[in-house]
Every structure is written in C-alpha cells, then in structure tokens.
Amino acid sequence: MKRIVILASGNGSNFEAIVKTARKEKWPVEIVSMITDNPHAYAIKRAKRLGIPYKLLNYREFDSKDSYNKELFKLLKEFSPDLIVLAGYMRILPPHIIKAFRWRIVNIHPALLPAFRGLHAIERAYKAGCKVTGVTVHFVDEGVDTGPIIAQKCIEIREGESLEHLERRIHRVEHKLYPTVIKKLLFGDE
Ligand code: GRF
C-alpha cells in the first residue's frame, strides 16, 4: 500500500477527483489525510462526504509562519507519505520540508508552465489573449511553480469563449491529468 497526503486550501475539486479515481480504479493506496490551512475550505466538506480523514491546521491560530510550518512538518513526518499532493494549497512550503520530501511533492498548475506562474494563471493567460493555455503537473522545488515539469496538457482558448467556460474546461482536464500522473508516479506503467 502506498500512502498519499493531500494538501488543499480551497474548493478541493482535484482532491475529490483523486480520491474517486483511486477508488474506482482500486489503486493499492491509502489516502492518509487531507491537510488544510483554511477552516472554510470546501475541501473539508468533501473530506467528510468522502470519508477521508482530514487535519485542519488553522493558519490564523498560529503565532507565526514558522510555528505553522513546524506543526505541518511534524504531521507530514507522522503520516510518512510516499507522495504529498498539493491540490490548490495556497501556501509556500518552506525549504526544509521540500528537502525532506524531495521528489515526493507534486503540484498542479492551471497554465502551461513556465508561463503564468503564480496566482490567477487562467485569467492572466485569458487576458493576455493566448490562443493556447493548459495544465501542468510538476515536482515542487523551493521556487513558486518552478519545479521540474512531469506532464502537461494543452487547451485551446476558443474564439469568443468566456473566462468561466475556459475555467470549467481547464478544471475538467486537471481532474483527469492529475490522477493519471499520480498513479504513474506511485505505480509506474504497470
Ligand atoms: C486548480 O486550478 C489548481 O491548478 C490550482 O488551484 C486550483 C485548485 O482547485 N493549483 P481545487 O481546489 O482542486 O478545486
């Protein structure tokens, strides 16, 4: 059994897609926990509905970034995951956590990296008038959206398409690509 931990701060649709795909395809995996920094994250409701254990580390209740990350590091070590999956996790992991889990932390980004790193990537690509954007899954390193790219999917921006419509299409691609990549990282091509 492989062990994965998912970090999410918001909606949690990728988290749910991973859980559902793992269950449907009967991966030999334990989704040990969903960890969130945000008490209002919709991901918590999903965790309850899906029956996945979750841990809330309410960022605002810590007196510093360091004390929050200390607790996070402690939890991650306890969970001892084969893979840490960032799925809309809105905080930067500190270098010592990256180092401890190097090549075992992945992230999904809603653009074709290295273009549009950082926040609001879908909107920025849309407003820049791009004809093509996409989705990237990459290993996490010490930078923001700078780690080695594992997989990408291109998505054409259609003539006259609304931003909301593009967002929906991008999320649909994410929900397929992320589980596919995670499965391959954990189990290879078997
Ligand atoms: C996704 O678009 C992902 O690419 C980005 O944050 C969003 C998270 O969405 N990193 P959700 O919380 O999984 O619904």
Side-chain angles (χ1 to χ4, degrees), residues 103-115:
W103 306 114
R104 282 188 287 154
I105 314 175
V106 290
N107 182 42
I108 188 159
H109 186 74
L112 290 178
L113 292 175

Side-chain angles (χ1 to χ4, degrees), residues 11-14 88 108-110 171 174:
N11 184 12
S13 69
N14 281 284
I108 188 159
H109 186 74
H171 294 313
E174 290 187 322

Side-chain angles (χ1 to χ4, degrees), residues 57-133:
L57 295 184
N58 189 346
Y59 189 81
R60 283 160 192 263
E61 286 178 358
F62 289 85
D63 51 18
S64 67
K65 198 196 293 178
D66 284 353
S67 61
Y68 167 83
N69 280 320
K70 200 171 166 196
E71 192 60 31
L72 177 62
F73 192 29
K74 201 176 125 208
L75 262 185
L76 289 172
K77 281 187 293 190
E78 276 169 25
F79 288 144
S80 152
D82 295 287
L83 197 65
I84 298 170
V85 174
L86 307 190
Y89 180 64
M90 299 305 284
R91 306 203 175 271
I92 312 282
L93 291 173
H96 66 279
I97 294 188
I98 309 275
K99 194 165 168 238
F101 295 97
R102 175 112 32 219
W103 306 114
R104 282 188 287 154
I105 314 175
V106 290
N107 182 42
I108 188 159
H109 186 74
L112 290 178
L113 292 175
F116 303 107
R117 289 181 172 134
L119 295 175
H120 311 300
I122 304 177
E123 190 178 344
R124 279 159 51 226
Y126 180 85
K127 291 197 170 149
C130 294
K131 302 289 183 199
V132 177
T133 185

